[in-house]
Amino acid sequence: MLSSPFIHTKRSTPWVMQQVALALMPAIVTSFYFYGWAVLSNIVLMIIACLAFEAFALTLRKRSLVSLGDWSAVVTALLLAMAIPPAANWWLIVVGAGLAMLLAKHLYGGLGLNPFNPAMVAYVVLLISYPVQMSQWIDPAQSALSLSTTLDIALFGSPIDQYTGATALDAVRHNAGLTISQLAEQNPATAWGAPHHFVSLSYLLGGLYLLARRIIFWQLPIALILGVLVAGVFVYDGSSESALSPAMQLAVGGTLMGAFFIITDPVSSPTTTNGRLIAGAFAGVLIVVIRHFGNYPDAVAFAVLLVNLCAPLIDYFTLPRTYGHSKAKRATDE
Amino acid sequence: MIKVHTIPGGIHPETHKSMSNGSAAERIPTPDRLWIPVSAGLKYESEPIVNVGDSVKRFTQLTQPKHAFAVASHSPISGTVAAIEMRSVVAMPERQVLMIAIDNDGNNESERRAPMALDELSGAQILDRISRSGIQGQGGAGFSTQIKIAASKQVTHLIVNGVECEPYITADDRLMRDYSDDIMLGIQCIAKAMQLTQITLGTEDNKPQAFEAMQNAAAAANINMQWGVVPTKYPSGSEKQLIQLLTGQEVANGKLPADLGILMLNVGTLAAIGRAVVHDEPVTERLVTITGEACERPGNYWVPLGTPIDALQTFAKDGAKAQWIQGGPMMGVRVTDTTAPITQVTNCLLIQPAVKSTSEMPCIRCSACYEACPMQLLPQQLLWHAKSNNEQKLKAHNLFDCIECGACDYVCPSDIPLVQYYRAAKDELRAAESDRVRSEHARNRFEQRQARLERIEQEKIAKREARKKAAEAKKAAKQVDSDTTTSDKPKAGLLAAAMAKAETSKAPALSAEKLTKQVSNLEAQLIHQQQLLEEAGDDEKRAKIDARIKNTRIKIDQAKAKLASIDDQEQPNA
Ligand code: SF4
Ligand code: SF4
C-alpha cells in the first residue's frame, strides 16, 4: 500500500455479494419446497447464462475477467431467476440474462455505473415482450415438479400440465363484484396461507439477516413497507372495488423481495440517509398505486425502476450538511 | 465528568493498543550520529546558526527561524557538527531537505539551564519560554505551538487532547500514566499565561489507567478540571471531532477553534510546554510508540530527535520483510527512506509485514463510506467527481472539509484508495487556484503596463502638440509657411512595440502552464512507477523500475527548475 490508511475492513465487494446470495437461500429453499426442481432449473440456467454474458461483455470491453469473481452477476441471476415463473424456457432465461447483463449493466459501463437495477430491467422487458410466458406459474398446489419433468419443460419446451389459477393480484384486478372476503373464499391465492406467503416470509428472513449484518440499511425496506401499508389503507375498504388489505399487499407480488433485495441494491438507489427514506416510501406508495390503477399487477419492478430514475434527484435534494457548514450545499451552488 | 455528545460516522478498527502499553517508557541508546532537519516544520524555513566543526552541547540552539511559523531546533546531545547537507525526510518522500548532522561525543554535556518555579514566572515570560523552545504539536500535525497559542488571544477554554484514537499508538496513554506531572505543569503554564477559566481533559474510555493518573495528578496539583471520557471510536481525537464531542459545538467552516474560545493541545505538547517553561528545556526528544505486527519489542521509547530510523532497525523482527510507517495505520506516512530521522511529529513507528496492495474494484455505491465519514461528506460522490476532475462539483461537495482521516477508505469493500484520490484532487485544485492567481497577476501586469504605455504616449503626444504649437506660433510670428508633417507613424510604432513586448511577457506564462502540466504528468508517472515497484517481484525488475523512477525524478526536478526560473523572470516585469 502506498499511502494511508494502511488497514482496511475485511469486507470486500465479493463478500457483500455473497452475503446477499446467502440471504436469498431461505427463499430458494421455500420455493424449492413448493415448486420443486422448477426453481433450481431457473437458477442454474440463469447463473450460467448471466456469467456467460458477463464474460462476453468483459471480453468485448477488453476488461479483465477477474471481475467475473465479484459475484454481482450471480446475485442478479438469482434475483431474476426467482422473479420469473419457475421452469421457464431456456430461451426466456437466455434472453433475460442478456438483457440484464448487456442492456442494463454493461451498456452503462458495468458494475456500479448502471442507473437501473439490472434484474428489474430484464424482468420488465421480458414481461412486456413475453406476457404469456411470464405469467405461466406452475401450480404449487400440485406436487412439486420432478427433475425430469422440469428438464423437459425448461429445455425442450414440453407444456406444463397445471398452471395456477389467477394470482392474488390478478384475481383482484379482474374481480367482478365480489368483496375481498368472498374473493378469498373463491381463490385461495388471495387468502392467508398461500404458498407465496411463505416465500415472502423467507425473503423477510433473509432481509433481516442482511440488516443484522449491516449490509443493507434499514431506511429503504422499512420506508417501503410503511409506504405500502399507508397507501394500502387508502385503497382498501373490503368492497368489490377494493384492493387487497394492506397487510396482504405486503405478502404478495414480491413486495418483500423488493423491499429487502431489490430497492436495497446500492448501485441504483439514493445514497443519503434521508434520500433512502424518501426513496423507500416513494417506492412503497408507487407499488400500491400501480397495482391499483395501473395495467400491470407486477408493480414492484416498475416502482423500483421509477425510483431508480429519481435516485440522482433525490440525492441532490438530500445532501447532508457538512460539519461546520450552516446549511447543506447543492451541487450547483458555488 | 461532563456530558459527552455524539459525532456522526466513525469506525471501530481493532486497536492493538495492548501490544505496546504494557510497561513504562524506556530509553534507546543514543545513536552515534543524529540528523536534525534545519526547518523543523518542513514547510516553514529556518536557517542553521552552527557551522561544520562547531562543538555543541545538549540544548545548544542549532537553527534560527526565518519564517514566523518556523520553529528553532536544539541539539539533543553533546558532540560536533559533522555535516550540513540535503537528506530525505519521511513526510516528503519526493524531496530532500537541509539537515545538520551531530556526531555524539558521548560526554552527555548540557548547556546550563535556568529552571524557575511557575509562581515566579509572569505570563509573558511563560510565552517567551514556549516560543524559544521549538515546540511543535506532538499529536502528529506538527504545527508551531507558539503560533497556535498566539492565534488564540480570546481563548478561555483549554481542551487537553488525550484521546489518541489511532490504532496501535499508545505514547499519549503512557505519557498520561507516567508523566502526568509534566502535563499538569504544561496545563498550569497555559492557564496562567492565557488566563483560562475552563480546562477539560478529553480521553477515550479505553485508557482507564491514564484517566485515573491524570485525575490524581490534577488533584495533587490543585487544578480544577472537567473530565470528558468519550467512547472509543476513530477519529474522536481529531480536533474538530473532539470539540464536537466535548462541547456539542462545531467549528464553523473557515473558522478556528479559537473562534469558539477553545484552544486544544495534545498531552504530549503540554508535557513539552511544562518542561520547556519550568525546567527551561527545549524539545530534544519525544516519546515514540514503536510497535506493529513485525516489531520485535513493541513498547514506548524516548527517542532523541534526529535519530535515523535505520538506528531502530533492531526493532524489526528478523526475516520479516517489513514496511515501516510513521504515525498510525489510519493517517501515517510510509517510510520510503530509512535514513530519514525521527522528528517531533513521529508519535509512532509502525512496523508491519509488507502486504501486497489490493486492486481497486468499482464503487458499488454501498454508502459504507458515507456512513463512516465524521465530516458528513459524501465520499462516493467525491470519488466520482475526483475521477472526472469536476472542480465545481468537488468544491460543492466540500472536498476541502475532508480531514483525510481515512474512515471511508477503511470501510470501502471495493478497496478504493479514496483518501489518495482526495489528496490528489486537492493538490490539483490548489494548483489550478494558484494558476488562476498567477494568470490574474499576469493579466493585471499586462493591463497596468498597457495603461502606463498609454499614459507615456499621451504625454508624448501632448508635449509634441505643445512643441508644435510653439513652433507654429514662432512660424506664424516669422510669417513663413512650411509643411508641418505630423504623422501617426511614431505612435503606431510604439504601440506595436508595446504589443510585442506584452506578447513576450505573456509567452513565459504560457510555457509555465505547460511546464506545470508536465510536472503533474510526471508526478503521476512517478506514483505509477512507485506502485509498479511495490508490486515488482524480482530484483532485476525492481532495479529497472528504480532506474526509471530516478529518471522521472530528474525530469521533474528539471521541469521545476525551469518553472522556477520562469517565475523569477516574471517578477521584474511586475
Ligand atoms: S464504500 Fe467504496 S464502494 Fe461503497 S460507496 Fe463508498 S466508495 Fe463506493
Ligand atoms: S477521509 Fe475525508 S471523506 Fe473520508 S471519512 Fe475522512 S473526512 Fe470523510
Side-chain angles (χ1 to χ4, degrees), chain B residues 370-381:
Chain B
Y370 157 66
E371 298 286 327
C373 179
M375 296 299 286
Q376 292 268 278
L377 299 167
L378 283 172
Q380 72 277 54
Q381 297 299 96

Side-chain angles (χ1 to χ4, degrees), chain B residues 123-416:
Chain B
Q125 278 173 311
I126 292 173
L127 295 180
D128 179 56
R129 286 195 165 202
I130 293 174
S131 73
R132 280 194 282 119
S133 50
I135 304 174
Q136 292 170 263
Q138 311 273 307
F143 193 70
S144 159
T145 300
Q146 176 215 343
I147 294 298
K148 190 167 180 177
I149 293 173
S152 305
K153 289 269 148 53
Q154 307 301 323
V155 158
T156 54
H157 185 183
L158 171 69
I159 294 182
V160 182
N161 188 341
V163 173
E164 200 170 48
C165 57
E166 273 250 16
Y168 289 99
I169 311 180
T170 57
D172 287 349
D173 183 5
R174 271 328 311 191
L175 203 71
M176 286 191 280
R177 289 199 219 177
D178 308 330
Y179 301 88
S180 49
D181 295 345
D182 283 348
I183 302 172
M184 291 304 151
L185 272 186
I187 292 174
Q188 285 171 312
C189 292
I190 296 293
K192 179 167 182 184
M194 307 188 67
Q195 294 162 357
L196 301 178
T197 51
Q198 198 183 356
I199 301 159
T200 310
L201 171 79
T203 180
E204 262 181 355
D205 60 8
N206 62 359
K207 302 177 202 29
Q209 285 119 314
F211 183 68
E212 205 190 312
M214 290 289 280
Q215 278 194 317
N216 293 340
N222 211 358
I223 304 175
N224 185 15
M225 282 177 71
Q226 293 175 319
W227 307 93
V229 177
V230 304
T232 299
K233 170 159 108 172
Y234 178 87
S236 299
S238 157
E239 189 167 73
K240 289 178 171 168
Q241 274 60 43
L242 187 55
I243 289 176
Q244 194 176 14
L245 278 163
L246 296 181
T247 71
Q249 289 172 296
E250 292 178 17
V251 181
N253 179 35
K255 298 277 183 198
L256 293 170
D259 295 309
L260 294 174
I262 294 171
L263 168 67
M264 185 180 295
L265 291 172
N266 166 272
V267 286
T269 313
L270 284 162
I273 290 173
R275 282 193 296 273
V277 173
V278 178
H279 304 302
D280 191 25
E281 288 181 2
V283 192
T284 59
E285 60 180 6
R286 76 152 294 152
L287 196 56
V288 182
T289 305
I290 305 180
T291 184
E293 308 302 331
C295 177
E296 187 66 59
R297 283 160 285 130
N300 284 288
Y301 299 89
W302 285 104
V303 182
L305 300 182
T307 302
I309 290 171
D310 270 336
L312 303 170
Q313 286 292 356
T314 51
F315 281 99
K317 272 190 187 139
D318 42 38
K321 193 167 164 270
Q323 179 183 49
W324 288 63
I325 293 156
Q326 169 175 300
M330 292 304 298
M331 292 185 77
V333 185
R334 200 166 62 113
V335 176
T336 47
D337 186 340
T338 50
T339 63
I342 302 294
T343 64
Q344 280 191 60
V345 302
T346 316
N347 51 0
C348 176
L349 280 173
L350 189 59
I351 313 172
Q352 298 286 61
V355 283
K356 267 211 152 164
S357 49
T358 42
S359 59
E360 176 182 335
M361 277 180 276
C363 167
I364 53 166
R365 302 192 0 122
C366 67
S367 295
C369 49
Y370 157 66
E371 298 286 327
C373 179
M375 296 299 286
Q376 292 268 278
L377 299 167
L378 283 172
Q380 72 277 54
Q381 297 299 96
L382 286 173
L383 170 72
W384 178 260
H385 298 311
K387 278 188 165 175
S388 59
N389 235 326
N390 190 333
E391 198 175 309
Q392 195 202 347
K393 287 276 171 65
L394 282 170
K395 282 188 189 154
H397 280 91
N398 298 329
L399 172 67
F400 281 96
D401 285 283
C402 167
I403 56 172
E404 297 178 21
C405 67
C408 53
D409 204 320
Y410 174 84
V411 296
C412 177
S414 284
D415 285 325
I416 303 171

Side-chain angles (χ1 to χ4, degrees), chain B residues 8 71 100 108 121 258 297 304 326 375:
Chain B
V71 296
I100 301 173
N108 214 3
L121 287 161
R297 283 160 285 130
Q326 169 175 300
M375 296 299 286

Side-chain angles (χ1 to χ4, degrees), chain A residues 133-155:
Chain A
Q133 287 83 349
M134 287 292 284
S135 58
Q136 290 177 336
W137 286 75
I138 50 177
D139 188 356
Q142 308 295 313
S143 59
L145 284 198
S146 72
L147 180 56
S148 58
T149 341
T150 302
L151 291 181
D152 262 356
I153 298 169
L155 297 182

Side-chain angles (χ1 to χ4, degrees), chain A:
Chain A
M1 267 163 277
L2 281 174
S3 64
S4 63
F6 298 96
I7 48 173
H8 296 90
T9 43
K10 296 204 180 64
R11 288 191 169 200
S12 65
T13 293
W15 180 85
V16 169
M17 298 290 173
Q18 285 164 14
Q19 294 300 308
V20 176
L22 188 67
L24 281 169
M25 284 308 142
I28 291 173
V29 170
T30 317
S31 300
F32 181 79
Y33 174 78
F34 287 114
Y35 299 102
W37 291 93
V39 171
L40 285 190
S41 82
N42 265 15
I43 289 176
V44 171
L45 289 179
M46 190 65 88
I47 290 179
I48 294 173
C50 278
L51 285 176
F53 275 115
E54 174 110 316
F56 171 68
L58 288 170
T59 319
L60 268 192
R61 297 177 57 216
K62 301 200 172 51
R63 298 294 156 92
S64 150
L65 287 183
V66 174
S67 35
L68 267 186
D70 65 20
W71 280 69
S72 63
V74 175
V75 167
T76 302
L78 285 175
L79 292 174
L80 186 54
M82 298 291 285
I84 63 175
N89 262 318
W90 64 268
W91 59 264
L92 192 75
I93 288 177
V94 169
V95 172
L99 288 168
M101 291 295 115
L102 302 183
L103 174 74
K105 187 174 181 184
H106 283 282
L107 212 58
Y108 289 105
L111 178 63
L113 297 172
N114 45 301
F116 300 104
N117 181 301
M120 288 304 103
V121 171
Y123 179 81
V124 162
V125 177
L126 286 180
L127 192 68
I128 295 170
S129 317
Y130 309 103
V132 179
Q133 287 83 349
M134 287 292 284
S135 58
Q136 290 177 336
W137 286 75
I138 50 177
D139 188 356
Q142 308 295 313
S143 59
L145 284 198
S146 72
L147 180 56
S148 58
T149 341
T150 302
L151 291 181
D152 262 356
I153 298 169
L155 297 182
F156 306 110
S158 325
I160 299 173
D161 296 336
Q162 288 284 345
Y163 289 118
T164 52
T167 63
L169 289 168
D170 274 325
V172 174
R173 269 174 56 73
H174 300 122
N175 181 15
L178 298 179
T179 65
I180 293 298
S181 43
Q182 286 168 332
L183 197 66
E185 277 163 30
Q186 191 202 50
N187 184 339
T190 62
W192 285 108
H196 55 252
H197 294 158
F198 291 98
V199 180
S200 284
L201 214 59
S202 343
Y203 281 119
L204 177 66
L205 205 67
L208 292 179
Y209 172 75
L210 291 182
L211 277 178
R213 279 274 184 171
R214 294 188 60 81
I215 286 173
I216 57 173
F217 300 103
W218 61 268
Q219 291 94 348
L220 280 165
I222 300 300
L224 186 145
I225 289 171
L226 286 177
V228 168
L229 289 178
V230 169
V233 168
F234 286 97
V235 293
Y236 174 70
D237 59 11
S239 74
S240 59
E241 297 294 311
S242 160
L244 290 170
S245 74
M248 189 68 89
Q249 295 260 21
L250 284 183
V252 300
T255 312
L256 290 176
M257 179 194 197
F260 288 101
F261 290 89
I262 309 283
I263 193 81
T264 49
D265 167 18
V267 175
S268 46
S269 289
T271 46
T272 63
T273 311
N274 288 337
R276 288 196 288 255
L277 282 172
I278 294 173
F282 186 36
V285 171
L286 272 178
I287 287 174
V288 174
V289 167
I290 296 173
R291 277 179 185 166
H292 197 62
F293 302 105
N295 276 327
Y296 288 93
D298 302 86
V300 172
F302 290 99
V304 166
L305 292 184
L306 274 173
V307 172
N308 287 173
L309 194 67
C310 304
L313 198 70
I314 296 175
D315 269 345
Y316 175 84
F317 282 109
T318 53
L319 281 188
R321 180 187 64 85
T322 305
Y323 178 106
H325 290 255
S326 50
K327 64 176 179 58
K329 276 194 198 173
R330 298 276 169 259
T332 43
D333 291 354
E334 256 311 307

